[in-house]
Amino acid sequence: MTPLADLLTRRIRHAGPMSLAEFMSDCLLHPEHGYYTTRDPLGAGGDFTTAPEISQMFGEMIGLCLAQNWLDQGAPSPFTLAEIGPGRGTLMADILRVTKAVPELHAAMKVHLIEASPTLQATQAKTLAAYEITWLESVADLPQAPLWLVANEFFDALPIRQFTRDGAGWREAQVGLLNGALTLGLSAATPMPELAHRLTDTKDGDIVEICPASTPIVTEIATRIAQHGGAALFVDYGDWRSLGDTFQALEAHQMVDPLARPGCADLTAHVDFDALARAAQSAGAVASQMIPQGMLLGRLGISARAEALATKLSGDALKSHIAAFDRLTSPAEMGTLFKALALAPTAKLLPPGFDA
């Protein structure tokens, strides 16, 4: 039993079963034993690898997309360039490197990173040592200014609540105890006003997941964009509307039991992009259509960039480069599993790749 499992077991014995959202929050962000607060989870020595760690091309395409949209919106100065959940800082480093081709952008930008992990914040400081960076605890702390923001594999790690339909009501998944071990169970059926719109496209036994934490985050971002201009790019794995059990855990790049080693595995769930879009629109911004990651990168010109980089490579380096391109874009890899959504002040100001 991990130290966090012991704490959770004692809490459940005292207060009763907890929701998946409570369980995930403690597993990921507990100040002493949380997954993100105690380690660097990325790369071969970690538990998962994100697109920016696979190839510089991902960050380059995102950076050029943001830069072009900044120009399309009149190149406001100053403006906020921000990332939520920036990992090791690799994506932002690639964005900043490629946008050096637009020197006026660098003169106008104020870079902000929203990061909860002290371990990752220290790594980001090293990666981005050449730049002036401001770290924030919450998107609510972002300046009231034009905002260009990216979130790559951020929303999938936010705590979810999971519900199974039972007639006109819903039974919530809870973490309880069975013979002293953590186990999943279901609450009694109860009406859920926030799921009323799902009664038309689900049947008894269907599972729907909601992410309460995502709405205030998107609302803060969308409000700034609607009021001051800018854009946001969200890239994550998921689909347009939640359906089915997607709660999962990764440890050492392998799927594991989410309840087995609390605090030692990355817990995630698929993102409901419809919910993100509805939150953004309620705050006054415009949301694009959701498109696959491979389609977005293709529209932004990743094939030409890959060919240009390939001319300087040979042997194993060339093989690795081709494999990285395939991993980012192929339908059999990340190309269709990962989706992208953009926010903008108006439909005419959506970033390149989303305006096709």
Side-chain angles (χ1 to χ4, degrees):
M1 182 178 288
T2 66
L4 184 57
D6 182 54
L7 290 175
L8 295 176
T9 297
R10 284 190 274 127
R11 187 190 307 172
I12 292 169
R13 283 191 177 127
H14 175 74
M18 63 176 60
S19 70
L20 274 187
E22 294 174 280
F23 178 77
M24 287 183 70
S25 182
D26 273 330
C27 287
L28 297 176
L29 297 174
H30 187 278
E32 293 181 48
H33 307 297
Y35 178 78
Y36 284 119
T37 53
T38 58
R39 73 199 68 209
D40 178 351
L42 293 162
D47 298 310
F48 59 90
T49 302
T50 61
E53 303 290 335
I54 293 169
S55 171
Q56 69 185 68
M57 294 183 290
F58 181 83
E60 289 173 347
M61 296 300 102
I62 297 299
L64 293 173
C65 174
L66 294 173
Q68 183 60 58
N69 190 247
W70 176 74
L71 292 170
D72 291 343
Q73 294 196 37
S77 178
F79 78 96
T80 304
L81 176 63
E83 184 179 359
I84 324 177
R88 291 175 171 170
T90 305
L91 174 55
M92 183 56 72
D94 289 338
I95 289 172
L96 293 174
R97 187 188 67 257
V98 75
T99 54
K100 284 182 179 178
V102 190
E104 61 270 33
L105 182 146
H106 275 230
M109 72 185 183
K110 305 293 182 183
V111 182
H112 291 70
L113 301 180
I114 295 92
E115 178 56 68
S117 166
T119 302
L120 288 175
Q121 191 175 119
T123 302
Q124 293 154 16
K126 293 178 182 178
T127 303
L128 299 166
Y131 300 94
E132 184 177 338
I133 307 294
T134 300
W135 279 269
L136 303 174
E137 293 185 1
S138 166
V139 291
D141 300 324
L142 284 167
Q144 292 292 339
L147 171 66
W148 274 263
L149 177 143
V150 61
N152 179 64
E153 289 199 56
F154 168 77
F155 288 101
D156 67 276
L158 295 180
I160 61 157
R161 297 176 68 188
Q162 187 186 88
F163 298 89
T164 300
R165 183 170 172 183
D166 186 343
W170 301 86
R171 304 178 68 188
E172 183 167 9
Q174 298 177 320
V175 178
L177 296 174
L178 180 63
N179 298 324
L182 296 172
T183 189
L184 282 172
L186 293 173
S187 71
T190 184
M192 291 291 297
E194 55 263 65
L195 289 176
H197 67 293
R198 298 307 307 271
L199 292 176
T200 59
D201 69 342
T202 58
K203 61 184 183 302
D204 276 8
D206 279 351
I207 294 173
V208 170
E209 296 166 345
I210 63 173
C211 181
S214 68
T215 298
I217 293 171
V218 175
T219 298
E220 288 282 357
I221 295 167
T223 298
R224 281 162 177 73
I225 290 171
Q227 294 178 350
H228 305 290
L233 271 62
F234 303 149
V235 183
D236 226 312
Y237 61 93
D239 217 324
W240 183 244
R241 186 171 281 189
S242 168
L243 186 62
D245 176 10
T246 72
F247 177 52
Q248 61 189 37
L250 271 177
E251 187 173 357
H253 299 267
Q254 300 294 321
M255 300 289 290
V256 296
D257 179 353
L259 306 185
R261 285 164 44 81
C264 296
D266 181 37
L267 304 183
T268 66
H270 285 204
V271 174
D272 182 338
F273 282 91
D274 174 50
L276 302 186
R278 286 188 288 110
Q281 289 160 350
S282 294
V286 169
S288 71
Q289 290 187 334
M290 180 192 76
I291 60 175
Q293 174 178 296
M295 179 182 292
L296 173 63
L297 294 176
R299 289 175 175 178
L300 294 176
I302 194 172
S303 294
R305 178 58 175 155
E307 290 175 5
L309 289 172
T311 61
K312 305 174 185 177
L313 302 173
S314 61
D316 290 342
L318 179 59
K319 290 179 182 178
S320 295
H321 172 65
I322 294 171
F325 172 81
D326 287 342
R327 189 169 177 188
L328 291 175
T329 61
S330 169
E333 299 279 352
M334 300 173 73
T336 55
L337 174 64
F338 282 73
K339 311 297 196 306
L341 185 80
L343 310 183
T346 67
K348 290 183 178 180
L349 294 176
L350 284 167
F354 295 94
D355 51 5

